[in-house]
């Protein structure tokens, strides 16, 4: 997912640095290209740095535990703000892993749902407000498609959420996303609850529970004959001197 985000940053900075008409010389093109690449690189590092407010490095760790927790947070937000759609998703067994993983791992930069302009605006909101802006956009997309999704079954729901939405709906998503009350405090609380639930599931899982393993058969170690104690050199010398002392003198 990182390649989509880097590509979006490169395109965005390219448009930002090449809007003004300048004299196109080799030196100018080289300097502009270097500036664009450096700007995209440092922006990407700012997102991925473990001490930044975004902590994007957690998304790509082995096991994807953090993105799974974020999907749990997204599911709770859908249940809170879109209860009718959430109930329909539960009936059709549609989980966030089927449609929203790419939204959060690429910040909508894979263009499966939003176009370039809307994805760039969403990324700008992400830089300003953090992950709550991404969650608001995800809820706004579901809200704009809710009427259509409620009339669909499992397969059609997944297909509808992986298709680009029309431009009018994209602008509508960015507008109505502001109405959802999502704060950093709410996200942190939900994230802790989901992570706690995940740990309990891992501990209680039959595959990892110690009680699920069959008892090991008792193995009786083979009897070994007692080892003969070896006499030390000092005891041998004393025994030899004793024997020599018992010999008759000539």
């Amino acid at each position: 997912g990182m390649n989509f985000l880097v590509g979006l940053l490169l395109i965005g900075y390219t448009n930002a640095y090449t809007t003004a008409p300048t004299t196109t010389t080799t030196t100018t093109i080289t300097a502009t290209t270097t500036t664009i690449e450096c700007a995209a690189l440092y922006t990407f590092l700012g997102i991925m740095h473990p001490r930044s407010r975004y902590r994007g490095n957690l998304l790509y760790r082995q096991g994807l535990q953090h993105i799974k927790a974020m999907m749990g947070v997204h599911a709770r937000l859908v249940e809170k703000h879109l209860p009718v759609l959430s109930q329909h998703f539960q009936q059709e067994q549609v989980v966030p892993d089927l449609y929203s993983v790419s939204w959060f791992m690429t910040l909508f930069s894979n263009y499966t749902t939003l176009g370039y302009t809307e994805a760039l605006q969403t990324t700008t909101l992400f830089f300003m407000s953090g992950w709550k802006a991404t969650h608001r956009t995800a809820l706004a997309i579901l809200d704009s498609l809710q009427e259509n999704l409620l009339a669909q079954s499992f397969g059609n729901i997944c297909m509808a959420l992986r298709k680009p939405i029309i431009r009018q709906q994209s602008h509508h998503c960015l507008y109505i996303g502001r109405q959802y009350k999502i704060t950093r405090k709410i996200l942190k609380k939900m994230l802790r609850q989901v992570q706690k639930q995940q740990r309990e599931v891992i501990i209680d899982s039959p595959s990892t529970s110690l009680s699920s393993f069959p008892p090991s058969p008792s193995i009786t170690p083979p009897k070994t004959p007692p080892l003969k104690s070896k006499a030390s050199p000092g005891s041998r010398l004393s025994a030899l001197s004793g024997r020599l002392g018992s010999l008759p003198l000539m």
Side-chain angles (χ1 to χ4, degrees):
M2 290 185 286
N3 54 336
F4 291 104
L5 182 56
V6 173
L8 178 66
L9 294 175
L10 287 173
I11 296 174
Y13 280 116
T14 300
N15 295 336
Y17 281 100
T18 57
T19 52
T22 55
T23 304
T24 56
T25 61
T26 305
T27 306
T28 305
I29 294 175
T30 303
T32 304
T33 304
T34 304
T35 303
I36 293 171
E37 292 176 351
C38 290
L41 173 63
Y42 283 107
T43 304
F44 178 75
L45 292 179
I47 299 174
M48 295 298 161
H49 198 278
R51 294 186 179 181
S52 68
R53 57 182 294 191
Y54 313 109
R55 302 186 68 185
N57 63 310
L58 298 178
L59 297 176
Y60 306 98
R61 282 189 174 180
Q62 188 175 4
L64 302 178
Q65 294 298 326
H66 188 71
I67 192 66
K68 293 177 182 177
M70 293 190 70
M71 294 301 97
V73 173
H74 172 69
R76 295 193 176 204
L77 291 173
V78 174
E79 183 178 2
K80 178 180 179 181
H81 296 281
L82 303 172
V84 178
L85 184 62
S86 176
Q87 185 178 2
H88 182 64
F89 279 0
Q90 292 177 6
Q91 292 176 354
E92 296 296 332
Q93 297 182 353
V94 177
V95 295
D97 299 9
L98 298 175
Y99 64 87
S100 62
V101 172
S102 61
W103 293 354
F104 289 89
M105 293 193 71
T106 66
L107 298 178
F108 299 96
S109 61
N110 58 344
Y111 308 148
T112 56
T113 307
L114 299 179
Y116 161 73
T117 304
E118 291 75 20
L120 190 61
Q121 293 175 356
T122 304
T123 306
T124 304
L125 293 175
F126 171 77
F127 292 145
M128 297 171 59
S129 304
W131 286 107
K132 62 181 181 181
T134 308
H135 282 286
R136 286 173 179 169
T137 305
L139 290 178
I141 291 174
L142 295 179
D143 192 4
S144 62
L145 301 175
Q146 182 173 196
E147 184 178 355
N148 181 32
L149 295 175
L150 290 175
Q152 303 295 334
S153 58
F154 173 83
N156 294 330
I157 291 175
C158 296
M159 292 179 62
L161 291 174
R162 293 178 181 176
K163 291 181 179 179
I165 59 180
I166 60 178
R167 191 173 184 85
Q168 291 78 5
Q169 288 179 323
S170 299
H171 289 290
H172 182 64
C173 291
L174 297 177
Y175 176 76
I176 66 175
R178 304 173 184 176
Q179 70 181 1
Y180 300 111
K181 185 179 179 181
I182 302 175
T183 61
R184 297 176 188 175
K185 185 177 180 180
I186 293 176
L187 291 180
K188 287 182 180 180
K189 182 179 179 179
M190 287 187 175
L191 185 61
R192 286 195 298 265
Q193 293 174 351
V194 173
Q195 290 175 341
K196 181 181 179 181
Q197 185 179 2
Q198 288 179 345
R199 287 192 296 266
E200 292 175 353
V201 170
I202 294 175
I203 293 175
D204 298 336
S205 176
S207 60
T208 57
S209 177
L210 295 178
S211 59
S212 62
F213 293 98
S216 58
S218 58
I219 301 176
T220 305
K223 294 183 179 181
T224 56
L227 298 176
K228 295 182 180 180
S229 59
K230 296 182 180 181
S232 61
S235 60
R236 290 180 180 179
L237 183 58
S238 60
L240 181 60
S241 60
R243 291 181 182 181
L244 291 176
S246 61
L247 293 177
L249 298 174
M250 297 299 293

